[in-house]
Amino acid sequence: MSDDDRSEQQHVSNIAAFAEREGLALSMVFVEKRWQRTLALNALMAYCQGHGIRHVIVPTSEHLNQLPVLADVSKEALEQDIGGQVWIVASMEKPSSYPPTVAKNGGDK
């Protein structure tokens, strides 16, 4: 198993644990495999719209985009498209390259 696979499994475990703590049900996991692509984000938006999903959990803001400004734009666009909330669950094990938005006490927007 590669480090990328282990990292991906850890992110999924963290998301599942967060969803359970917040009373959310984990429905689907989308993973972008190619750097600087938005295929997974676009598929996520379409899936959420098609299934009435209004809450999305991502491990860190960087998982929306590597550039902080574009991560914020992606988060806002996703929230608007699904009519709901994007929860950012930052792992406290290792720091991100920029300060993430951490969901606490019901999340933040």
Side-chain angles (χ1 to χ4, degrees):
M1 181 181 296
S2 72
D3 286 343
D4 286 344
D5 291 337
R6 278 190 280 280
S7 176
E8 185 177 313
Q9 286 180 344
Q10 185 61 46
H11 287 310
V12 172
S13 294
N14 290 345
I15 288 170
F18 178 83
E20 185 176 327
R21 280 192 311 271
E22 295 298 325
L24 302 170
L26 185 60
S27 173
M28 180 74 70
V29 175
F30 291 81
V31 178
E32 188 69 67
K33 294 287 188 180
R34 296 185 67 193
W35 168 249
Q36 293 185 335
R37 298 291 295 262
T38 60
L39 296 174
L41 182 60
N42 293 334
L44 170 66
M45 284 184 193
Y47 183 84
C48 290
Q49 290 170 335
H51 291 86
I53 294 172
R54 301 192 49 162
H55 295 276
V56 171
I57 304 169
V58 295
T60 69
S61 296
E62 288 177 327
H63 284 83
L64 293 170
N65 196 294
Q66 293 289 315
L67 300 173
V69 171
L70 294 180
D72 290 341
V73 169
S74 295
K75 180 178 182 275
E76 289 174 17
L78 180 54
E79 287 176 332
Q80 183 176 11
D81 284 353
I82 66 172
Q85 183 170 355
V86 174
W87 303 70
I88 306 294
V89 183
S91 171
M92 298 304 164
E93 294 171 10
K94 67 179 191 181
S96 178
S97 63
Y98 69 96
T101 305
V102 179
K104 292 181 182 176
N105 299 326
D108 65 332
K109 286 181 103 178

